[in-house]
Amino acid sequence: MTTRPVRIALQLQPQHADYRRIRRTAAEAEDLGVDVLFNWDHFFPLDGDPTGRHFECWTMLAAWAESTSRVQLGPLVSCNSYRNPDLLADMARTVDHISEGRLVLGIGSGWFDRDFAEYGYAFTPDGSRLDDLAAALLRIERRWSLLNPAPTRRIPVLIGGAGERKTLPLVARHADIWHCFGEPDVIARKLRVLGEHCAARGRDLAEIEVSTTVTGGPTAPGEPEDLGRRLRDLGVSLFTVGASGPDYDLAPLRRWLKWRDEENS
């Protein structure tokens, strides 16, 4: 269905590990040939010991921008509620320059109530947070047009989420990449809805790269030859492997990279 080449991302989840281990794993993933290196925007571990080690998203991305040289990088995803949108635009522009044009701005409305509560952010209803995200995306785009120096190029925007009434219209309007979770039949249904929103805006759905998490997330794990092919047939081209500390097992990543190379050959 898709003509885009397969790309493989690693979400290097910054929980339960010291930073030296995280840095070594990022370097190893780049050496293995991963296309995109993601972290996440949380303040506490999402699983395991809730008081375990954890590090902040954007300061880490700036460090990765210096310590890597080829791989794209970004948050999967930055929570809109945690930062003023104009500030976030400036942060993204700065990391874009540090990395010499390798940043992907992943963004969403946030969901982990502990992050909000302990850091003093109002955990408003889902609809309200999505309305805020809609306004923030316009502010981010405007701020990018005003910054000096400007971003190195049009920074790709990844929007995470699959809400049919509010999130997918934002994807149709703003996103270069749409990241979704779920089994293939769920993604197929959401793609149909996204296609309708794109058509209403006069946009070709094929302009949006479709991304999903294949291990370390809500999707049931599967081997690339099966799960990858089913998702590929739907139009997915960016496949994210999740890895959690403290030890970061990259064996699943290696299998998905092998499959990518076979698919793209």
Side-chain angles (χ1 to χ4, degrees):
M1 177 177 177
T2 183
T3 58
R4 292 180 185 269
V6 172
R7 300 202 299 155
I8 302 298
L10 174 69
Q11 186 186 49
L12 185 50
Q13 300 164 357
Q15 58 180 5
H16 306 305
D18 62 43
Y19 186 70
R20 286 184 299 174
R21 170 76 68 165
I22 293 171
R23 184 177 61 237
R24 288 198 304 269
T25 306
E28 182 180 358
E30 183 170 52
D31 289 344
L32 287 171
V34 74
D35 297 290
V36 188
L37 185 63
F38 291 123
N39 60 5
W40 65 26
D41 193 14
H42 295 289
F43 305 129
F44 304 97
L46 295 188
D47 51 43
D49 180 1
T51 66
R53 293 183 180 190
H54 199 279
F55 291 98
E56 193 273 333
C57 170
W58 277 95
T59 44
M60 181 176 295
L61 288 173
W64 286 358
E66 287 283 10
S67 66
T68 61
S69 61
R70 177 197 57 80
V71 68
Q72 285 193 312
L73 50 92
L76 189 64
V77 291
S78 189
C79 176
N80 172 65
S81 300
Y82 300 160
R83 299 165 191 87
N84 173 287
D86 291 85
L87 172 62
L88 179 60
D90 202 342
M91 292 166 62
R93 181 279 309 255
T94 300
V95 175
D96 177 58
H97 275 266
I98 295 169
S99 66
E100 299 183 328
R102 293 183 286 124
L103 179 76
V104 175
L105 175 58
I107 192 166
S109 61
W111 61 272
F112 190 36
D113 55 356
R114 184 185 177 195
D115 285 342
F116 286 80
E118 295 210 24
Y119 275 61
Y121 299 106
F123 191 53
T124 57
D126 291 352
S128 176
R129 298 200 310 279
L130 286 164
D131 290 340
D132 290 344
L133 176 59
L137 287 163
L138 295 173
R139 288 177 61 181
I140 288 167
E141 291 170 354
R142 179 178 181 275
R143 181 54 54 186
W144 279 340
S145 74
L146 298 173
L147 289 170
N148 183 17
T152 65
R153 85 287 195 222
R154 185 181 182 279
I155 296 174
V157 172
L158 177 155
I159 295 178
E164 296 180 8
R165 292 191 303 109
K166 292 202 171 186
T167 303
L168 294 184
L170 292 177
V171 173
R173 179 171 183 177
H174 297 280
D176 302 283
I177 306 169
W178 170 52
H179 188 86
C180 52
F181 293 99
E183 298 297 321
D185 59 338
V186 173
I187 295 174
R189 185 178 72 252
K190 299 295 184 178
L191 272 169
R192 289 192 293 271
V193 176
L194 178 57
E196 293 169 0
H197 288 300
C198 285
R201 295 197 61 83
R203 187 177 185 193
D204 186 350
L205 176 60
E207 296 176 6
I208 302 171
E209 184 172 18
V210 182
S211 168
T212 193
T213 296
V214 290
T215 70
T219 304
E223 291 303 309
E225 295 78 11
D226 176 28
L227 179 60
R229 171 45 53 192
R230 292 167 63 200
L231 292 168
R232 181 76 168 150
D233 288 344
L234 295 175
V236 177
S237 60
L238 179 55
F239 300 80
T240 296
V241 175
S244 176
D247 297 322
Y248 295 115
D249 177 12
L250 297 187
L253 177 66
R254 290 183 174 90
R255 291 195 296 273
W256 282 91
L257 288 170
K258 179 176 181 293
W259 175 75
R260 175 201 66 187
D261 294 343
E262 292 168 351
E263 284 289 306
N264 290 343
S265 63

